[in-house]
Amino acid sequence: MEKIPVAADDHIFVLTGAGISAESGLPTFRGSDGLWAGYRIEDVCTPEAWRRDPAGVWAFYSARREAAQKVRPNAAHVALAELESLIKGRFFLCTQNVDDLHERAGSAALLHMHGELAKSRCERECGRPPVEDRNVYRSLDEVGRCPCGGRLRPHIVFFGEMPLEMDRIQDEIAKATLMLVVGTSGSVYPAASFVHWARQRGERTVYVGPEQPLNADAFTHVFEGKAGEILPGLFEVEIASRR
Ligand code: OAD
């Protein structure tokens, strides 16, 4: 298999999606056995759904928490953590995933642009930061309140809400010389645009996943296969000489 050379002055920006956690046993969203085949986005992942039926939204995310707590990072998560350790300071990982498998594999320069399953925050956006919360709620009565009185909601970016830390993401893409995208169908924006931003800057753009994403044309390299099989050994890292 072709290898991607990483020079001593390369900066890598990585975007991951649900596909990287598939080999750990977590379902993706789209496709015949994906989460969105069993649930309607409008019922569980929009501000309107939260206003109309907070119990239903919590039931969905409680089930996601339960599933995420049962699985472990796979070879793809580990390969990215190892790559980061080889080129510390020149690596940034942005994930659309809300599970914590990247951090459990050892990734450190990491941003969850769609939120985190293991956190909750005030529904009133009162300014208090998200709190760690791994509870699996069986009913709405069990869900806590913020000191301001607002109900806690999942720390998840619902459809129609702004992804988190877009300024930082743009800065990191501007620094990068190589963009690696893993396991995302390219159907949700703005994440699906990142590769176009990188191409406009002339960056190399690499995709890894078993099928072509919707934005496949914007990649300079597409590796078709499972992330856990392709990522370990994909990069040839030039180690800076220490003189
Ligand atoms: P999708 O379900 O849209 O796409 C998952 C991708 O992973 C598909 O392209 C699969 O081909 C690929 N895939 C499957 N198995 C894989 C494997 N072993 N290795 C690598 N790739 C594999 O999920 P996302 O693109 O992540 O947003 O979805 C984006 C956003 O839509 C999510 O963050 C979520 C969802 O609705 C929110 O909840 C806000």
Side-chain angles (χ1 to χ4, degrees), residues 21-27 67 71-72 74:
S21 297
E23 289 160 81
S24 292
L26 293 179
V71 301
R72 292 152 50 95
N74 65 54

Side-chain angles (χ1 to χ4, degrees), residues 17-20 22-23 28-30 36 41 45 61 96-97 114 156-159 182-188 207-211 225-228:
I20 199 164
E23 289 160 81
T28 59
F29 292 96
R30 295 169 184 81
W36 296 147
I41 289 176
C45 193
Y61 285 104
Q96 296 169 89
N97 297 347
H114 288 165
I156 300 287
V157 174
F158 293 148
F159 280 84
V182 185
T184 173
S185 56
S187 24
V188 173
Y207 182 77
V208 175
E211 56 203 6
K226 293 182 175 178

Side-chain angles (χ1 to χ4, degrees), residues 17 22 27 32 48 67 82 84 129 131 145 147 153 170 176 181 205 228 236:
S32 53
E48 294 73 29
E82 285 176 359
E84 178 176 10
V131 292
R145 297 246 169 205
R153 59 166 270 183
Q170 277 165 345
V181 178
T205 50
E236 201 154 46

Side-chain angles (χ1 to χ4, degrees), residues 194-209:
F194 294 175
V195 66
H196 298 288
W197 303 347
R199 276 309 294 145
Q200 280 163 11
R201 301 174 43 79
E203 293 173 26
R204 285 174 291 161
T205 50
V206 179
Y207 182 77
V208 175

